[in-house]
Amino acid sequence: KPPVDTFSLIKKCDLVIGAGGTMNREAALLGTPVISCYPGKLLAVDEYYINMGLMKRSNDRDEIVNLALEMMMDDTVPKPVKSDNLLQIMIDNIYGSAGKLI
């Protein structure tokens, strides 16, 4: 079978827990709940996603489990992805973010 691209995989996930950056940010853009356990310095883009409520961050195993359970049981309806075009989703988010800063 051919490999599955991360975009398609993340769209179908209920939750992403990642130690990297790109997949976590992609999940946040797609509205998939994401917990970052990256131990390094927090980047501005990740801080933005955390402040917007699109990402959680922790390095504590018990806290990650509790966050995951909370996020999985959240009854709020996730934002529907309007496009399968990742570039368009990124552009829409950039323009949306810029509009909130003005």
Side-chain angles (χ1 to χ4, degrees):
K1 293 184 178 185
V4 178
D5 64 285
T6 57
F7 177 78
S8 298
L9 184 63
I10 289 173
K11 275 184 16 180
K12 301 214 182 286
C13 287
D14 295 321
L15 174 71
V16 171
I17 300 174
T22 304
M23 287 183 69
N24 291 347
R25 294 175 198 121
E26 192 172 329
L29 283 173
L30 293 172
T32 300
V34 59
I35 301 170
S36 173
C37 54
Y38 179 68
K41 181 182 176 200
L42 183 65
L43 298 178
V45 66
D46 296 328
E47 184 175 6
Y48 174 79
Y49 287 138
I50 290 167
N51 291 337
M52 295 298 293
L54 300 172
M55 180 188 293
K56 306 280 185 186
R57 183 175 189 231
S58 177
N59 292 318
D60 179 86
R61 181 185 63 209
D62 293 332
E63 184 180 25
I64 291 170
V65 169
N66 289 329
L67 284 170
L69 290 172
E70 286 175 24
M71 294 167 86
M72 295 289 291
M73 298 183 77
D74 189 355
D75 289 337
T76 60
V77 179
K79 299 178 294 183
V81 176
K82 297 176 185 173
S83 171
D84 280 343
N85 182 336
L86 181 58
L87 180 59
Q88 186 62 51
I89 292 170
M90 292 169 61
I91 291 168
D92 292 346
N93 277 272
I94 289 169
Y95 280 112
S97 300
K100 291 175 187 173
L101 297 174
I102 297 174

